[in-house]
Amino acid sequence: LNKDPVSNPTSSAGLFDNQTFPPLSSGVWYLHVRFKNNNGWGPTANYQIGIDTYPPAQFKIRVNGGVTTILLSPTVSYAATDSISGIARYAVSVDGFPVTSTKATSFMIPQQVPGWHTVTVVAYDQAGNGTEESAKIHILETPLLTIGGFSLTQFWFFIDILIIIAILTIAIHMQLIKKWIMKFKK
Protein backbone atom coordinates (compact mmCIF):
# COMPACT_ATOMS: atom_id res chain seq x y z
CA LEU A 1 0.00 0.00 0.00
CA ASN A 2 1.58 3.27 -1.15
CA LYS A 3 1.07 6.38 -3.28
CA ASP A 4 2.69 4.91 -6.43
CA PRO A 5 -0.05 4.15 -9.05
CA VAL A 6 1.94 1.35 -10.70
CA SER A 7 4.18 -0.66 -8.46
CA ASN A 8 5.57 -4.16 -8.70
CA PRO A 9 6.62 -5.04 -5.17
CA THR A 10 9.69 -7.23 -4.93
CA SER A 11 8.96 -8.32 -1.38
CA SER A 12 5.80 -9.81 0.08
CA ALA A 13 3.93 -9.18 3.31
CA GLY A 14 3.24 -12.89 3.32
CA LEU A 15 0.36 -15.12 2.36
CA PHE A 16 -3.01 -14.16 3.84
CA ASP A 17 -6.66 -13.98 2.85
CA ASN A 18 -7.33 -10.54 4.39
CA GLN A 19 -5.33 -7.65 5.73
CA THR A 20 -6.06 -4.67 7.98
CA PHE A 21 -4.16 -1.45 7.40
CA PRO A 22 -3.68 1.51 9.74
CA PRO A 23 -5.81 4.61 9.07
CA LEU A 24 -4.78 6.41 5.89
CA SER A 25 -4.40 10.13 5.39
CA SER A 26 -6.50 11.94 2.76
CA GLY A 27 -5.47 11.50 -0.83
CA VAL A 28 -5.13 8.77 -3.41
CA TRP A 29 -3.50 5.51 -2.35
CA TYR A 30 -2.79 2.34 -4.30
CA LEU A 31 -3.01 -1.23 -3.11
CA HIS A 32 -0.70 -3.63 -4.94
CA VAL A 33 -1.66 -7.28 -4.75
CA ARG A 34 -0.28 -10.48 -6.23
CA PHE A 35 -2.35 -13.62 -6.08
CA LYS A 36 -0.97 -17.14 -5.78
CA ASN A 37 -2.69 -20.33 -6.89
CA ASN A 38 -1.64 -23.86 -7.97
CA ASN A 39 0.16 -22.39 -11.00
CA GLY A 40 2.23 -19.94 -8.92
CA TRP A 41 2.22 -16.18 -8.56
CA GLY A 42 0.12 -14.00 -10.86
CA PRO A 43 0.94 -10.47 -12.06
CA THR A 44 0.63 -7.49 -9.72
CA ALA A 45 -2.83 -5.91 -9.64
CA ASN A 46 -2.98 -2.23 -8.71
CA TYR A 47 -6.14 -0.89 -7.01
CA GLN A 48 -6.80 2.80 -6.44
CA ILE A 49 -8.20 3.86 -3.05
CA GLY A 50 -9.45 7.41 -2.54
CA ILE A 51 -9.47 8.72 1.03
CA ASP A 52 -11.22 12.05 1.70
CA THR A 53 -11.52 13.20 5.31
CA TYR A 54 -11.72 16.94 4.51
CA PRO A 55 -14.99 18.80 3.94
CA PRO A 56 -15.54 21.02 0.89
CA ALA A 57 -14.05 24.53 1.02
CA GLN A 58 -16.06 27.39 2.53
CA PHE A 59 -18.33 29.11 0.00
CA LYS A 60 -20.79 32.02 -0.17
CA ILE A 61 -24.53 32.07 -0.84
CA ARG A 62 -25.62 34.85 -3.20
CA VAL A 63 -29.22 36.01 -3.39
CA ASN A 64 -29.92 37.01 -6.98
CA GLY A 65 -31.26 40.57 -6.87
CA GLY A 66 -29.93 41.20 -3.35
CA VAL A 67 -30.72 40.08 0.19
CA THR A 68 -33.57 42.60 0.43
CA THR A 69 -36.21 41.82 -2.17
CA ILE A 70 -39.92 41.97 -2.97
CA LEU A 71 -39.69 38.55 -4.65
CA LEU A 72 -41.53 35.95 -2.59
CA SER A 73 -39.49 33.15 -4.26
CA PRO A 74 -35.96 34.52 -4.70
CA THR A 75 -33.22 32.49 -6.37
CA VAL A 76 -30.06 31.70 -4.42
CA SER A 77 -26.73 30.73 -5.99
CA TYR A 78 -23.81 28.87 -4.41
CA ALA A 79 -20.79 26.89 -5.59
CA ALA A 80 -18.48 24.89 -3.37
CA THR A 81 -15.25 23.16 -4.34
CA ASP A 82 -13.64 19.99 -3.07
CA SER A 83 -10.20 19.20 -4.42
CA ILE A 84 -10.07 15.58 -3.28
CA SER A 85 -13.34 13.86 -4.20
CA GLY A 86 -15.48 16.60 -5.77
CA ILE A 87 -18.94 17.91 -4.88
CA ALA A 88 -21.74 15.32 -4.86
CA ARG A 89 -24.79 17.44 -3.94
CA TYR A 90 -26.20 20.43 -2.08
CA ALA A 91 -28.90 20.27 0.61
CA VAL A 92 -30.97 23.48 0.80
CA SER A 93 -33.22 24.44 3.71
CA VAL A 94 -35.23 27.55 4.54
CA ASP A 95 -35.76 28.53 8.18
CA GLY A 96 -34.57 25.07 9.25
CA PHE A 97 -36.95 23.14 6.98
CA PRO A 98 -35.35 21.03 4.20
CA VAL A 99 -36.59 22.02 0.73
CA THR A 100 -34.33 20.18 -1.73
CA SER A 101 -31.25 18.09 -2.36
CA THR A 102 -29.72 18.95 -5.72
CA LYS A 103 -26.59 18.94 -7.84
CA ALA A 104 -27.50 22.38 -9.23
CA THR A 105 -25.61 25.46 -8.03
CA SER A 106 -28.70 27.67 -7.88
CA PHE A 107 -32.21 27.17 -6.58
CA MET A 108 -35.45 29.19 -6.48
CA ILE A 109 -36.69 28.84 -2.93
CA PRO A 110 -40.40 28.10 -2.41
CA GLN A 111 -42.70 31.09 -1.89
CA GLN A 112 -42.20 32.74 1.50
CA VAL A 113 -44.18 35.28 3.51
CA PRO A 114 -42.68 38.76 3.89
CA GLY A 115 -40.09 39.02 6.66
CA TRP A 116 -36.62 37.70 7.46
CA HIS A 117 -35.69 34.16 6.38
CA THR A 118 -32.54 32.08 6.72
CA VAL A 119 -31.42 30.00 3.75
CA THR A 120 -28.93 27.26 4.62
CA VAL A 121 -26.95 25.27 2.06
CA VAL A 122 -24.82 22.24 2.94
CA ALA A 123 -22.32 21.17 0.27
CA TYR A 124 -21.48 17.46 0.45
CA ASP A 125 -18.47 15.91 -1.25
CA GLN A 126 -18.35 12.42 -2.75
CA ALA A 127 -17.09 11.04 0.57
CA GLY A 128 -20.05 12.46 2.53
CA ASN A 129 -18.17 15.33 4.21
CA GLY A 130 -20.21 18.54 4.44
CA THR A 131 -19.70 22.29 4.73
CA GLU A 132 -22.62 24.50 5.79
CA GLU A 133 -23.26 28.13 4.91
CA SER A 134 -26.25 30.39 5.65
CA ALA A 135 -27.61 33.68 4.34
CA LYS A 136 -30.36 35.95 5.64
CA ILE A 137 -32.99 37.18 3.18
CA HIS A 138 -35.38 40.04 3.89
CA ILE A 139 -38.54 39.70 1.82
CA LEU A 140 -40.46 42.95 1.73
CA GLU A 141 -44.21 43.24 1.43
CA THR A 142 -45.31 43.63 -2.16
CA PRO A 143 -46.70 47.14 -2.71
CA LEU A 144 -50.48 47.21 -3.21
CA LEU A 145 -50.31 50.60 -4.89
CA THR A 146 -47.43 52.72 -6.23
CA ILE A 147 -47.97 56.35 -7.21
CA GLY A 148 -45.07 58.57 -8.23
CA GLY A 149 -42.43 56.54 -6.39
CA PHE A 150 -44.57 56.24 -3.25
CA SER A 151 -45.47 52.63 -2.47
CA LEU A 152 -48.33 51.57 -0.25
CA THR A 153 -48.28 48.02 1.10
CA GLN A 154 -51.41 46.08 2.04
CA PHE A 155 -50.69 46.59 5.75
CA TRP A 156 -50.43 50.38 5.48
CA PHE A 157 -53.40 50.53 3.10
CA PHE A 158 -55.64 48.95 5.75
CA ILE A 159 -54.12 51.10 8.53
CA ASP A 160 -54.88 54.20 6.43
CA ILE A 161 -58.45 52.99 5.85
CA LEU A 162 -58.90 52.45 9.62
CA ILE A 163 -57.54 55.95 10.33
CA ILE A 164 -59.89 57.50 7.76
CA ILE A 165 -62.85 55.60 9.23
CA ALA A 166 -61.86 56.73 12.74
CA ILE A 167 -61.53 60.37 11.62
CA LEU A 168 -64.90 60.26 9.80
CA THR A 169 -66.53 58.61 12.81
CA ILE A 170 -65.17 61.31 15.12
CA ALA A 171 -66.25 64.07 12.68
CA ILE A 172 -69.77 62.66 12.39
CA HIS A 173 -70.04 62.34 16.17
CA MET A 174 -68.75 65.89 16.60
CA GLN A 175 -71.44 67.14 14.21
CA LEU A 176 -74.10 65.17 16.07
CA ILE A 177 -72.89 66.51 19.41
CA LYS A 178 -72.83 70.05 17.99
CA LYS A 179 -76.44 69.70 16.78
CA TRP A 180 -77.47 68.21 20.11
CA ILE A 181 -75.86 71.10 22.02
CA MET A 182 -77.56 73.64 19.69
CA LYS A 183 -80.89 71.95 20.31
CA PHE A 184 -80.56 72.33 24.08
CA LYS A 185 -79.45 75.99 23.82
CA LYS A 186 -82.75 76.95 22.14
Side-chain angles (χ1 to χ4, degrees):
L1 182 65
N2 59 33
K3 296 244 180 196
D4 184 3
V6 181
S7 181
N8 193 11
T10 56
S11 63
S12 171
L15 292 174
F16 48 84
D17 61 359
N18 66 60
Q19 177 69 31
T20 301
F21 294 98
L24 302 173
S25 61
S26 285
V28 178
W29 292 82
Y30 296 91
L31 178 65
H32 312 287
V33 181
R34 290 182 67 191
F35 296 96
K36 183 178 180 183
N37 61 19
N38 293 341
N39 296 326
W41 288 98
T44 300
N46 301 295
Y47 298 97
Q48 180 178 324
I49 302 170
I51 305 294
D52 182 358
T53 59
Y54 297 107
Q58 295 296 127
F59 60 98
K60 296 287 182 198
I61 299 173
R62 289 188 347 266
V63 181
N64 299 1
V67 295
T68 299
T69 181
I70 61 169
L71 298 176
L72 299 178
S73 294
T75 298
V76 293
S77 300
Y78 39 82
T81 58
D82 186 81
S83 60
I84 298 175
S85 64
I87 299 297
R89 66 183 177 92
Y90 298 94
V92 181
S93 63
V94 178
D95 296 331
F97 297 100
V99 291
T100 191
S101 180
T102 180
K103 291 184 178 189
T105 57
S106 67
F107 179 72
M108 180 184 286
I109 66 172
Q111 187 169 343
Q112 302 295 309
V113 298
W116 284 96
H117 299 279
T118 302
V119 175
T120 303
V121 177
V122 181
Y124 289 100
D125 64 18
Q126 298 290 346
N129 304 308
T131 297
E132 181 179 301
E133 292 295 333
S134 294
K136 295 264 187 199
I137 298 176
H138 187 206
I139 297 176
L140 302 174
E141 281 190 73
T142 306
L144 185 64
L145 177 66
T146 301
I147 300 173
F150 176 74
S151 296
L152 187 63
T153 64
Q154 184 176 358
F155 173 80
W156 286 109
F157 175 78
F158 287 113
I159 293 296
D160 291 344
I161 295 294
L162 290 174
I163 290 171
I164 291 169
I165 290 171
I167 290 171
L168 289 174
T169 303
I170 291 170
I172 291 169
H173 281 88
M174 293 296 282
Q175 288 297 322
L176 291 173
I177 291 172
K178 188 176 178 182
K179 284 183 183 181
W180 185 68
I181 291 174
M182 294 300 253
K183 206 180 223 187
F184 280 109
K185 281 188 176 180
K186 290 184 180 172

